[in-house]
């Protein structure tokens, strides 16, 4: 099996994903499960014309933030992208899928986005804009390709630790709600899903708990307190096409593809999950 550009490569500079023109994206594309968090925004995605900045600010109100056009005048202020956000301005390119999806995530999960921005700004203040450290790389990777996964059954975490994909993607576990994606943060994943069938990989933060909203709040707090994302290796890879119902076909041969469902690398370990349990 030849794998398409996966989410691991998004933002890495190795290859640049070119999104299809708006008129070439069929409305059925947004019926994919990956877009489930954003069903309330289908008019912004499916309309014949690109939504303008005024429409984004009207429909995607984010407290204390405003979407602004990224143009030469804006870039001339000399500030880093993250520093502008801290001042309340989210630079947004016109007619750009990547930035539109970023805006949707801001509207859907503002606490996560604010926590990521605050940490980025702390690192910029300490290091300047010419250098980036490992924590900034981890924050960016989660921002671009991140998912928050809620797990009720700790045995599933053990299977994930071993890259036992057959156990992790057992349909019964997902149907019972023993494991679920409770938030999709990575706007680069959404952009790449504009070409259905791509084998995307999310980079995950895992929470042991029962309630999706509480899990998201726990992650936002942990990022804000710098308890997470000191290293990119903290993020668990999740081959999204393996989630039952997220790809066709999902037969035995599909799950045996080591190009996508990769075996555990020697020496690779993952941090303990966050927990809502006492």
């Amino acid at each position: 099996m030849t794998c398409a550009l996966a989410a691991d490569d998004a933002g890495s500079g190795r290859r640049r994903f070119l999104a299809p023109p708006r008129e070439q994206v069929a409305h059925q594309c947004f019926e994919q499960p990956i877009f489930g968090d954003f069903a309330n925004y289908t008019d912004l995605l499916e309309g014949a014309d690109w939504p303008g900045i005024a429409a984004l600010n009207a429909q995607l109100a984010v407290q204390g933030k405003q979407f602004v056009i990224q143009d030469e005048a804006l870039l001339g202020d000399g500030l880093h992208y993250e520093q502008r956000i801290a001042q309340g301005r989210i630079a947004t390119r016109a007619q750009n899928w990547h930035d539109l999806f970023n805006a949707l995530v801001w509207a859907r999960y503002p606490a996560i986005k604010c926590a990521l921005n605050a940490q980025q700004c702390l690192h910029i203040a300490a290091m300047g804009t010419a250098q980036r450290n490992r924590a900034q790389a981890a924050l960016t990777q989660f921002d671009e390709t991140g998912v928050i996964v809620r797990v009720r059954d700790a045995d599933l975490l053990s299977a994930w630790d071993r890259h036992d994909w057959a156990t992790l993607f057992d349909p019964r576990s997902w149907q019972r709600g023993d494991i679920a994606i409770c938030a999709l943060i990575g706007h680069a994943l959404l952009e790449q899903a504009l070409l259905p069938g791509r084998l995307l990989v999310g980079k995950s933060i895992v929470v042991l708990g029962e309630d999706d909203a509480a899990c998201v709040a726990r992650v936002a707090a942990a990022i804000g307190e710098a308890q997470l994302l000191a290293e990119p290796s903290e993020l668990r890879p999740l081959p999204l096409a393996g989630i039952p119902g997220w790809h066709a076909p999902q037969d035995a041969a599909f799950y045996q593809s080591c190009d996508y469902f990769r075996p555990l690398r020697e020496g690779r370990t993952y941090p303990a999950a966050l927990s809502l349990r006492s």
Side-chain angles (χ1 to χ4, degrees):
M1 177 181 293
T2 301
C3 295
L5 172 61
D8 306 61
D9 301 308
S12 69
R14 288 182 295 213
R15 285 193 286 173
R16 181 178 176 82
F17 175 76
L18 296 177
R22 189 176 183 89
E23 63 273 12
Q24 292 182 14
V25 178
H27 292 178
Q28 291 84 348
C29 172
F30 301 111
E31 297 174 3
Q32 296 178 87
I34 195 171
F35 293 105
D37 268 357
F38 308 97
N40 291 337
Y41 308 119
T42 52
D43 57 325
L44 297 176
L45 297 172
E46 297 180 6
D49 298 322
W50 283 97
I53 287 294
L56 294 183
N57 284 313
Q59 296 187 52
L60 306 176
V62 180
Q63 185 174 5
K65 308 295 181 189
Q66 187 174 33
F67 301 103
V68 296
I69 282 288
Q70 180 174 303
D71 55 17
E72 291 186 8
L74 181 73
L75 298 178
D77 64 10
L79 293 176
H80 189 282
Y81 170 79
E82 299 287 354
Q83 293 172 317
R84 290 193 202 95
I85 293 175
Q87 293 182 351
R89 298 176 296 158
I90 304 171
T92 305
R93 291 167 291 184
Q95 301 185 10
N96 184 281
W97 281 115
H98 190 87
D99 287 11
L100 175 57
F101 288 128
N102 184 50
L104 296 184
V105 178
W106 265 104
R108 187 71 178 83
Y109 298 109
I112 294 287
K113 296 290 279 187
C114 284
L116 291 169
N117 171 248
Q119 288 301 313
Q120 289 280 18
C121 287
L122 288 174
H123 291 292
I124 291 168
M127 300 184 59
T129 59
Q131 301 181 69
R132 284 171 58 84
N133 60 24
R134 300 285 292 171
Q136 286 174 288
L139 292 160
T140 299
Q141 194 167 115
F142 184 70
D143 190 32
E144 295 282 349
T145 64
V147 294
I148 300 173
V149 179
R150 175 192 45 74
V151 176
R152 294 175 181 165
D153 183 352
D155 288 342
L156 290 172
L157 272 181
S158 298
W160 202 344
D161 286 342
R162 303 188 304 271
H163 285 204
D164 177 357
W165 303 117
T167 298
L168 186 68
F169 292 120
D170 185 329
R172 294 168 295 184
S173 297
W174 294 82
Q175 291 163 4
R176 289 193 301 259
D178 291 336
I179 181 171
I181 289 182
C182 56
L184 193 140
I185 305 302
H187 50 288
L189 292 174
L190 297 171
E191 183 185 27
Q192 292 185 28
L194 291 170
L195 297 179
R198 297 176 73 82
L199 300 180
L200 303 177
V201 178
K203 294 304 181 72
S204 308
I205 293 174
V206 186
V207 186
L208 281 170
E210 307 291 332
D211 180 77
D212 288 359
C215 290
V216 174
R218 178 71 179 90
V219 171
I223 293 173
E225 296 166 7
Q227 297 174 356
L228 294 175
L229 302 179
E231 287 280 346
S233 60
E234 294 177 26
L235 293 164
R236 291 170 177 258
L238 181 67
L240 297 177
I243 300 173
W246 278 48
H247 184 80
Q250 290 181 320
D251 54 17
F254 175 66
Y255 286 104
Q256 290 169 4
S257 169
C258 292
D259 287 342
Y260 185 52
F261 299 99
R262 296 181 178 178
L264 184 67
R265 188 175 70 246
E266 185 176 357
R268 181 72 161 100
T269 60
Y270 298 108
L274 295 175
S275 182
L276 297 180
R277 299 171 180 172
S278 54

